[in-house]
Amino acid sequence: MSAPKSIQRFETYIQLAIVVTLIYACFRVFAPFIGAIVWGAIIAISLWPLYRRLRHRLGERGGLAATLLGLALASLLVMPLIMLGISVVDGVNWLMDQNFNVETFRNYELPAWLLGLPLVGTKIAQAWQNMLLHLSETLQQITPFLKEAVLWLVKKSTGAGMAAVQFLIAIIVAMILLAKQQSSTDFAMRFARRISPLRGEYLADTAQKTIRGVSAGVMGTAFVQAALTAIGLIVAGVPAAAALGFATFLIAIVQLPTLFIWAPAAFWLYQSGDSFAASGLALWGLLVVNTIDNFLKPYLISQGADLPLSLIFIGVIGGLLAWGFVGLFIGPTILAIAYTLLQDWLYQQENEAPAETPNKDQA
């Protein structure tokens, strides 16, 4: 004899409450690591072709290939952040150890690289000389802000340290996913099929192709633009060309114009009297650095999912504004999946339409 419907309904509610509670508890446990896990998945998907080639060269030793890629990523991403944090801490310690007075500032000379910075170096030197003329009054004015400056530096060093830890966890997650790629792929496909039995695998494949295409398009184009900018700066004789090239890489990643770097440098050359180098750098930036973005990025992104480039671009910008840097990959992936589902829904009736019944004359 079956249980009454009210009891069955109550048992269903209890089961649903247990499942929801379990999901919430798991979310609370994983919440501090969600960012690192998402980054790890993005890194693993982006590096899969490189990992596969490296694994083949190492005799199909997947663990060794994943370890080597992890060490390379750590040296490129984590170590600069750690060094930045250490430098900030050393700067704070030096600042706290100094016994500043009027004579200390009068005997101090600004470093040559600071004075040689494009566009701002001359203004820094003039401001320094003006400060020395009214040094006592200046020290009295800036003393209240020294404590806030030290606290700001400490916060920045802490932020760099936390970013390094997050990147390190993400790299570890990515290497585990690559080393266990068979089980990782099987889990992803099973999960996708449970969500959509008919289209799950296709949507999962679209997601990974979109991530890989955006990664190649955004990162690859930014790297090429940074390299071309650095070459132009070196040829033009602009100091700190490597640092400015790295700044170009960061600006290009967040989809800002690279002219924020090479245009001030060209203006600085013009102000310095070297109009030939200034014109050459401006033409190089305008015709080469900026133009290559219009051809290289669409080509690299098109190697991923077969989606409209405008959709990918909106996803990159919107994701960046919504979720920060990781949104560069999450945004276009979400739009790609939504676009695919929309296309399936719009053309579902056409695809499922029965074949036309032949008339009697054709039979």
Side-chain angles (χ1 to χ4, degrees):
M1 183 175 179
S2 61
K5 292 184 177 180
S6 59
I7 296 179
Q8 293 179 352
R9 189 181 302 111
F10 177 74
E11 290 177 351
T12 302
Y13 290 155
I14 292 296
Q15 294 171 355
L16 181 61
I18 292 175
V19 171
V20 172
T21 303
L22 182 61
I23 293 174
Y24 175 74
C26 292
F27 174 78
R28 290 295 300 271
V29 172
F30 279 100
F33 307 98
I34 289 179
I37 293 174
V38 172
W39 264 117
I42 292 173
I43 293 172
I45 293 172
S46 302
L47 292 181
W48 166 246
L50 178 61
Y51 165 78
R52 186 172 54 186
R53 289 194 294 268
L54 181 60
R55 184 186 63 184
H56 178 70
R57 289 182 176 273
L58 295 175
E60 301 302 328
R61 288 180 287 182
L64 179 59
T67 301
L68 292 177
L69 280 179
L71 293 176
L73 281 176
S75 62
L76 291 175
L77 299 177
V78 178
M79 291 306 298
L81 291 174
I82 294 177
M83 296 303 297
L84 176 61
I86 293 175
S87 299
V88 173
V89 172
D90 291 341
V92 171
N93 292 332
W94 176 84
L95 188 62
M96 298 298 294
D97 292 338
Q98 300 301 311
N99 183 20
F100 291 113
N101 51 48
V102 174
E103 293 302 322
T104 301
F105 282 95
R106 292 190 186 279
N107 296 329
Y108 181 77
E109 295 183 0
L110 294 177
W113 66 266
L114 182 62
L115 299 178
L117 287 177
L119 191 63
V120 297
T122 304
K123 294 184 178 180
I124 291 176
Q126 294 175 354
W128 180 259
Q129 294 299 325
N130 292 332
M131 187 194 72
L132 291 179
L133 294 176
H134 309 282
L135 191 55
S136 300
E137 296 82 356
T138 303
L139 287 177
Q140 292 178 0
Q141 293 176 359
I142 67 173
T143 298
F145 301 101
L146 289 179
K147 183 178 179 180
E148 295 182 6
V150 172
L151 292 176
W152 181 83
L153 289 174
V154 172
K155 289 181 180 179
K156 289 299 179 182
S157 63
T158 304
M162 291 302 298
V165 172
Q166 289 286 333
F167 272 121
L168 185 60
I169 296 175
I171 291 172
I172 294 174
V173 171
M175 297 308 102
I176 293 175
L177 292 177
L178 288 175
K180 304 293 184 181
Q181 59 87 19
Q182 188 63 42
S183 58
S184 302
T185 303
D186 182 68
F187 173 82
M189 290 304 174
R190 286 178 179 270
F191 185 79
R193 284 195 294 266
R194 293 297 295 178
I195 295 177
S196 177
L198 298 179
R199 303 287 286 170
E201 291 190 11
Y202 176 75
L203 293 176
D205 184 65
T206 299
Q208 63 94 8
K209 286 183 177 179
T210 302
I211 291 175
R212 197 170 296 149
V214 172
S215 176
V218 174
M219 305 291 286
T221 304
F223 178 79
V224 171
Q225 287 184 301
L228 292 174
T229 302
I231 292 174
L233 294 173
I234 292 174
V235 173
V238 177
L244 293 175
F246 182 72
T248 304
F249 178 74
L250 297 179
I251 285 179
I253 283 180
V254 297
Q255 308 301 295
L256 292 176
T258 57
L259 61 86
F260 287 155
I261 300 298
W262 56 260
F267 181 76
W268 175 77
L269 289 172
Y270 179 78
Q271 290 291 98
S272 301
D274 196 348
S275 58
F276 178 78
S279 301
L281 181 60
L283 291 175
W284 176 261
L286 185 63
L287 300 179
V288 179
V289 178
N290 270 18
T291 305
I292 199 173
D293 175 66
N294 300 325
F295 300 97
L296 184 60
K297 186 181 294 182
Y299 171 76
L300 293 176
I301 292 179
S302 66
Q303 303 305 302
D306 186 14
L307 296 168
L309 184 61
S310 59
L311 189 72
I312 298 295
F313 184 77
I314 292 174
V316 168
I317 300 299
L320 178 66
L321 296 176
W323 295 294
F325 188 69
V326 72
L328 287 172
F329 305 91
I330 297 178
T333 301
I334 292 176
L335 290 186
I337 294 175
Y339 175 80
T340 303
L341 292 175
L342 179 62
Q343 292 290 101
D344 289 345
W345 179 71
L346 290 176
Y347 298 102
Q348 182 179 12
Q349 187 174 2
E350 296 180 8
N351 296 333
E352 294 180 356
E356 184 178 357
T357 304
N359 55 38
K360 294 181 179 180
D361 296 335
Q362 294 174 333

